[in-house]
Amino acid sequence: MMQIDELLQAKKISRFDYLAYAIFACTEHGREFFNKMLMDTFMEEPQGMDAGGIELAFIDGRRSLFRDIQRALMTIQTKMKEINNDYGSAESRPT
């Protein structure tokens, strides 16, 4: 089974993907923190344009960051599944 370190060394994932996965997917605390921050961000009350849209831009920026992190987590999970499936099919082939 290919590990996340091997994916990075093989340049199949970016350093950002590697770090996001290591921080937010490898431990229960990281997963809990990420899920709580996502929930907090998306449950915020909508902001009006009274302050020139600054609050709205701030919230949208935070949401964009969480989308990037979620995309990194999904990318690594997909690549690991693809590689593990490839290994499984190669091992199960008759010689």
Side-chain angles (χ1 to χ4, degrees):
M1 178 188 286
M2 184 173 268
Q3 300 295 320
I4 185 172
D5 294 328
E6 295 172 66
L7 288 171
L8 182 63
Q9 288 174 345
K11 297 187 189 294
K12 293 184 179 278
I13 60 172
S14 70
R15 181 80 175 151
F16 176 82
D17 293 345
Y18 175 86
L19 292 174
Y21 192 83
I23 292 168
F24 297 113
C26 290
T27 67
E28 184 60 35
H29 293 298
R31 288 186 293 273
E32 180 181 344
F33 178 75
F34 184 68
N35 289 333
K36 181 182 180 329
M37 293 303 294
L38 272 176
M39 186 59 71
D40 290 349
T41 299
F42 283 97
M43 294 304 292
E44 287 179 4
E45 291 297 321
Q47 299 292 324
M49 296 297 284
D50 298 340
I54 292 171
E55 294 95 352
L56 187 61
F58 176 75
I59 291 171
D60 190 51
R62 274 194 354 191
R63 289 180 179 168
S64 177
L65 176 62
F66 285 116
R67 280 192 298 273
D68 288 344
I69 292 170
Q70 184 63 41
R71 192 174 300 116
L73 299 179
M74 291 184 336
T75 296
I76 289 177
Q77 290 169 350
T78 301
K79 293 211 181 281
M80 289 175 88
K81 284 180 186 174
E82 288 171 359
I83 289 168
N84 290 334
N85 286 340
D86 288 346
Y87 283 167
S89 62
E91 292 171 2
S92 63
R93 276 190 229 141
T95 54

